[in-house]
Amino acid sequence: MYRRRPRPITARSSTTFPIKAVENPCKAIPLDFVFVIDSSRSIRPNDYEKVKTFIINLLQFLEIGHNATRVGLLQYGSVVQPEFSLSTYTTKSEVEQAVRNMEHLATGTMTGLAIQYTMETAFTEEHGARPMNLHIPRIAMIVTDGRPQDTVEEIAAQARQAGMQIFAIGVGRVDMNTLRAIGSEPHSEHVHLVANFSQIETLISVFQSKLCSDMCEVVDHQCQHICVSSPASYRCKCREGYILNPDGKTCTAEPECSEGVMDLVFVIDGSKSLGPNNFELVKQFVNSIVDSLDISKTGTHVGLLQYSTKVRTEFTLGQYSTAQHIKSAVNRMQYMGRGSMTGSALRHMFESSFSTKEGARFNIPRVSIVFTDGRSQDDVSEWATKAKNSGITIYALGVGKAIEQELRETASEPDEKHLYYAEDFEKMAEITKKLKSRICADKPSDENMCQCENMIMFQNQVTEKLKSLVQNIAAMSKRLETLENQLVHK
């Protein structure tokens, strides 16, 4: 449960804060920075004020502004209460006053719920986070003093997978394993435990170093080409025409073509509008695609989830390594036959299906085929955008009453290469001839042409299978119509 309570910015005189003067904030890279503050009943009022002091002292090292670091804050107890978003304030003085005005919730400790809100709401563009393609680090600093009353491990992993860098600060008797489950790696840089709230101030100098240092200058990064800094961390990047090797440090030029190897996840509509007979045709379509792929441990991996009102993982990317096992799993699928929550399915695909836990591999193209036959009962654009921004190529396949706008919001760009609709299948052969990804058009290197040819081959296969599927669905519909007429006349 989330609760919003507007707070006017008015000064209070009852509490004084020993603020540490800083002449010049560090000129670190811009950040999207969200404080996530435990406001449970186990924190005494005096200690709650010390947390406020810690936050305000930490702000002194940040250059806050619309084009600099943006700061948001939420506190949580039994519910999550957003205090201000990343887009609310553009000056340090406004942020400081808002922190001073915070009121202690003094309820439970739903840390997992707070992390979920941070990932799903606080770090959205709607609430002031900058687009993922700008590569602005998304920093969450979680301060807690007790054991969570809900689970944190899974949701924290999803948050990190979604691009959040999490600092976990524990005070008092917090379980260190819980902090490690929350914080990013390396834990030595992201997880901190102090004995009491009086000692939390000792972390100011620690975080000053993390937030103000260029990590590429102070560590032996061993990046072969380019080192890119972020607070307390860094990543290696390759120059144009090279790809990063699995070691995350070295680079390789224009590798040999991998014969269309990919991690492919089917997202299949199992709603009642499809009908059990057509669902069987969709299963045949999936299996015919599987037949055309090179499935093996080192080749293409396939996962599949079905959705209606709920989302169900039928099998993960890492579950099967032969086409026969995959096809058998497809044949065993049971039709769900209820609502159509495409947005929830896209979220599950983005957060879970392409995680390393479910078998996704490093540096392998990630592709999803989303099949639907009707209007979604929830929003599709947010999670489709997140998936595409993370590098997943999405093909949206619509049949029957599928809504064109939803298909466009789901599919990767450009539409003509990634969106298919049943009524237009006569044009598929013509479109297939024109298939070239943007990477091929913009950068015609051997590597990119190799990737382009793989995608053309894959899309040709998809097109042919879809033609067959639509023909079968049309024939089935005609037979059903004939049968209905016969029954009426009888």
Side-chain angles (χ1 to χ4, degrees):
M1 180 184 296
Y2 309 136
R3 180 172 68 186
R4 182 176 295 279
R5 183 167 65 201
R7 301 187 180 281
I9 298 184
T10 56
R12 294 181 180 177
S13 58
S14 58
T15 305
T16 58
F17 294 83
I19 306 304
K20 297 182 179 180
V22 177
E23 292 185 2
N24 296 306
C26 62
K27 301 293 183 181
I29 58 175
L31 310 172
D32 285 342
F33 196 120
V34 175
F35 290 94
V36 182
I37 304 302
D38 183 347
S39 188
S40 58
R41 65 175 64 91
S42 60
I43 300 176
R44 295 175 298 180
N46 189 43
D47 288 335
Y48 183 73
E49 297 302 317
K50 292 175 183 176
V51 174
K52 292 184 182 183
T53 304
F54 168 74
I55 295 170
I56 293 176
N57 280 332
L58 197 59
L59 292 174
Q60 307 311 305
F61 303 112
L62 301 177
E63 182 180 4
I64 295 175
H66 181 74
N67 295 319
T69 290
R70 300 181 185 180
V71 177
L73 187 147
L74 61 93
Q75 58 175 333
Y76 68 94
S78 299
V79 298
V80 175
Q81 179 164 296
E83 296 293 332
F84 51 90
S85 74
L86 290 167
S87 60
T88 305
Y89 303 123
T90 57
T91 68
K92 187 176 298 183
S93 60
E94 289 177 312
V95 175
E96 290 177 359
Q97 191 59 58
V99 173
R100 290 187 175 97
N101 289 349
M102 287 167 52
E103 295 178 0
H104 191 193
L105 299 180
T107 54
T109 314
M110 300 296 285
T111 310
L113 184 67
I115 297 172
Q116 182 178 351
Y117 180 91
T118 307
M119 174 181 68
E120 295 181 354
T121 304
F123 278 120
T124 61
E125 292 181 39
E126 179 184 0
H127 286 76
R130 282 161 284 196
M132 292 288 285
N133 59 9
L134 295 181
H135 301 293
I136 304 294
R138 295 183 171 183
I139 309 297
M141 181 173 288
I142 300 174
V143 180
T144 182
D145 86 320
R147 186 182 298 275
Q149 294 175 318
D150 56 358
T151 58
V152 299
E153 183 173 2
E154 183 176 351
I155 192 65
Q158 291 177 9
R160 296 190 300 267
Q161 181 76 17
M164 284 171 50
Q165 186 176 340
I166 304 177
F167 291 94
I169 301 175
V171 182
R173 298 181 178 180
V174 182
D175 178 36
M176 195 62 177
N177 289 330
T178 299
L179 293 178
R180 291 193 182 102
I182 295 172
S184 297
E185 293 186 353
H187 291 150
S188 60
E189 297 290 340
H190 295 88
V191 175
H192 300 272
L193 180 62
V194 294
N196 53 57
F197 283 96
S198 296
Q199 292 188 10
I200 197 170
E201 282 295 307
T202 63
L203 296 178
I204 290 293
S205 59
V206 174
F207 282 107
Q208 179 186 8
S209 174
K210 296 181 190 300
L211 297 174
C212 296
S213 298
D214 185 330
M215 291 299 292
C216 291
E217 294 182 0
V218 300
V219 300
D220 181 18
H221 54 75
Q222 297 183 342
C223 295
Q224 184 177 359
H225 286 181
I226 303 167
C227 178
V228 180
S229 284
S230 62
S233 188
Y234 66 90
R235 63 185 175 89
C236 297
K237 182 180 178 181
C238 296
R239 292 192 293 269
E240 185 176 330
Y242 293 78
I243 61 171
L244 195 65
N245 291 327
D247 63 7
K249 296 182 182 296
T250 60
C251 302
T252 301
E254 298 176 352
E256 293 184 3
C257 186
S258 55
E259 298 299 329
V261 171
M262 70 188 81
D263 284 344
L264 170 63
V265 173
F266 288 94
V267 180
I268 301 300
D269 185 345
S271 62
K272 60 185 176 183
S273 60
L274 187 67
N277 291 328
N278 285 339
F279 185 71
E280 291 302 313
L281 294 177
V282 173
K283 288 162 66 172
Q284 293 175 23
F285 159 72
V286 171
N287 279 342
S288 64
I289 292 291
V290 170
D291 278 333
S292 66
L293 300 173
D294 178 21
I295 309 291
S296 67
K297 288 184 178 179
T298 58
T300 290
H301 290 187
V302 175
L304 187 146
L305 59 88
Q306 182 189 171
Y307 71 94
S308 61
T309 304
K310 296 183 178 180
V311 182
R312 183 171 72 206
T313 298
E314 301 291 349
F315 52 90
T316 66
L317 284 168
Q319 197 162 343
Y320 302 117
S321 58
T322 69
Q324 189 56 48
H325 285 148
I326 292 172
K327 291 166 64 178
S328 296
V330 172
N331 290 333
R332 290 194 299 268
M333 284 169 52
Q334 297 296 310
Y335 175 49
M336 298 176 81
R338 299 184 66 185
S340 183
M341 303 291 283
T342 311
S344 294
L346 292 170
R347 173 182 173 183
H348 186 95
M349 177 267 286
F350 167 65
E351 292 183 342
S352 301
S353 299
F354 284 105
S355 65
T356 54
K357 181 180 179 181
E358 294 203 357
R361 294 167 291 177
F362 181 81
N363 228 24
I364 296 294
R366 295 179 174 184
V367 178
S368 180
I369 297 181
V370 180
F371 187 96
T372 181
D373 86 319
R375 181 187 296 275
S376 176
Q377 293 173 313
D378 59 356
D379 177 66
V380 302
S381 60
E382 178 183 358
W383 293 102
T385 300
K386 287 184 177 181
K388 290 180 286 189
N389 286 345
S390 74
I392 299 170
T393 300
I394 302 181
Y395 294 88
L397 315 181
V399 174
K401 297 180 180 179
I403 306 302
E404 181 180 2
Q405 180 60 32
E406 289 185 358
L407 294 175
R408 292 188 184 280
E409 291 175 350
T410 302
S412 294
E413 293 183 351
D415 292 344
E416 64 267 20
K417 300 174 187 177
H418 301 94
L419 188 156
Y420 298 91
Y421 185 63
E423 293 181 354
D424 296 326
F425 275 112
E426 302 80 15
K427 302 177 183 178
M428 286 298 103
E430 177 184 346
I431 292 175
T432 300
K433 294 177 183 177
K434 299 178 180 179
L435 282 179
K436 290 195 176 181
S437 66
R438 286 181 176 176
I439 194 172
C440 296
D442 296 340
K443 302 173 184 176
S445 66
D446 291 343
E447 173 195 350
N448 294 331
M449 288 305 297
C450 171
Q451 294 176 358
C452 182
E453 291 302 319
N454 288 336
M455 296 308 294
I456 291 175
M457 176 184 69
F458 174 66
Q459 200 147 3
N460 283 340
Q461 295 164 349
V462 171
T463 299
E464 292 304 316
K465 303 306 179 185
L466 280 171
K467 285 181 183 178
S468 176
L469 173 66
V470 172
Q471 291 170 357
N472 289 336
I473 289 178
M476 179 71 72
S477 299
K478 190 171 183 179
R479 288 197 296 270
L480 289 173
E481 184 179 354
T482 302
L483 181 58
E484 288 176 356
N485 291 334
Q486 291 174 347
L487 291 173
V488 169
H489 290 307
K490 286 184 179 180

